[in-house]
Amino acid sequence: MQRYFVQHRASNGCFFIEAEDRHHIIKVMRMVVGDQIICVGPDGKQAVCKLAEITDESVVAEVVQWKEENPELPISVTIASGLPKGDKLEWIIQKGTELGAREFIPFAGVRSVVKWDDKKAAKKIDRWQKIAKEAAEQSHRTRIPDVKAPASFKQLLALGKEFDYKLAAFEEESRNGEASAFSAVLKQMKQGESLLLVFGPEGGLAEAEVEQLQNNGFTLCGLGPRILRTETAPLYTLAAISYHFELLR
């Protein structure tokens, strides 16, 4: 059953679907009155709905049954990725959304080869947000992760103050056999708390960045004995978080 995120809460037992999603329902899926979809409101509440009316402006979906299950991770996880080459960030956003990330913050790392172009910023961010939306629909999320505009490293450090816990993946920690920091933080965390995870670009985090992270309350962590690519490491941590909080309980 197709899932759509609706901008406004249900009114009089109906959702009103507009713009691109209206076009998708009518032109792509070729649905007609009577077909059923799932609508998710801005408050995360979801319902099975029946198409009641199709107009030039919107599709009216009548609530048939509210759904009670909650597919979201019990903790809020933000992924901060050093700007990588090619379409790797799109991959991180897509798969990270499927795995439950709440937010994505790209940042310009010392070793980032890609340089952010402000002239193309709005178009790029819109594309990232669209990828997150489609992945959230596909994976039956009840919220679309927020994809932030790329931050400077200084801005990233300041943002860290908003989180309950903050970790930075550093490959030297793995090489040195560190294997407990990530696990220890997960064991401490309680439902509803927030975690910021920082990953460097292809070349990793520079020593100066690592020092600043530590000085600003970040804990360095290894991710096992193997060195992971910049696009693999965030997905590894999200899978581990899901296992810890959802499958072990």
Side-chain angles (χ1 to χ4, degrees), residues 232-248:
T232 308
L235 308 185
Y236 172 93
T237 58
L238 286 165
I241 289 168
S242 174
Y243 179 75
H244 179 85
F245 284 100
E246 296 175 319
L247 299 187
L248 284 182

Side-chain angles (χ1 to χ4, degrees), residues 91-177:
W91 173 267
I92 292 169
I93 292 169
Q94 183 187 63
K95 302 307 176 187
T97 296
E98 291 179 29
L99 289 165
R102 180 69 64 92
E103 183 180 48
F104 298 92
I105 305 175
F107 70 91
V110 170
R111 294 175 178 166
S112 289
V113 176
V114 174
K115 301 305 176 186
W116 183 246
D117 186 349
D118 286 330
K119 295 179 181 178
K120 300 178 181 178
K123 189 174 181 180
K124 200 81 170 177
I125 296 167
D126 284 347
R127 174 168 172 76
W128 291 341
Q129 197 65 63
K130 185 176 181 180
I131 289 170
K133 176 179 179 291
E134 291 175 351
E137 290 170 345
Q138 183 275 324
S139 56
H140 289 200
R141 297 277 303 269
T142 55
R143 64 173 296 142
I144 303 171
D146 191 18
V147 184
K148 301 291 189 183
S152 67
F153 192 73
K154 184 177 180 181
Q155 289 171 327
L156 178 65
L157 294 175
L159 287 171
K161 298 175 183 178
E162 302 173 7
F163 293 82
D164 298 309
Y165 296 88
K166 43 198 177 185
L167 292 169
F170 186 45
E171 62 185 27
E172 291 302 322
E173 295 297 298
S174 295
R175 289 195 179 105
N176 294 333

Side-chain angles (χ1 to χ4, degrees), residues 178-228:
E178 191 286 310
S180 62
F182 180 40
S183 176
V185 165
L186 296 188
K187 289 177 181 177
Q188 292 176 43
M189 292 191 72
K190 299 179 179 63
Q191 184 170 339
E193 291 186 319
S194 59
L195 171 63
L196 173 60
L197 287 161
V198 175
F199 304 90
E202 286 87 352
L205 294 167
E207 291 290 344
E209 290 174 322
V210 170
E211 184 177 345
Q212 290 180 67
L213 286 165
Q214 289 179 302
N215 290 340
N216 282 272
F218 285 77
T219 299
L220 302 183
C221 69
L223 299 177
R226 292 166 296 281
I227 303 304
L228 305 177

Side-chain angles (χ1 to χ4, degrees), residues 19-62:
E20 288 185 8
D21 286 337
R22 173 192 171 277
H23 178 271
H24 187 268
I25 289 170
I26 299 170
K27 301 297 184 182
V28 179
M29 300 306 299
R30 298 188 181 280
M31 292 184 186
V32 296
V33 170
D35 286 344
Q36 290 192 338
I37 60 175
I38 294 175
C39 290
V40 184
D43 54 2
K45 293 182 179 179
Q46 53 184 331
V48 175
C49 299
K50 178 178 67 176
L51 301 190
E53 184 181 0
I54 297 174
T55 72
D56 291 338
E57 299 295 328
S58 66
V59 170
V60 182
E62 182 181 346

Side-chain angles (χ1 to χ4, degrees), residues 71-92:
E72 298 298 318
L73 283 175
I75 65 169
S76 174
V77 182
T78 295
I79 301 295
S81 295
L83 283 169
K85 295 183 290 186
D87 60 359
K88 292 177 182 177
L89 186 58
E90 294 182 3
W91 173 267
I92 292 169

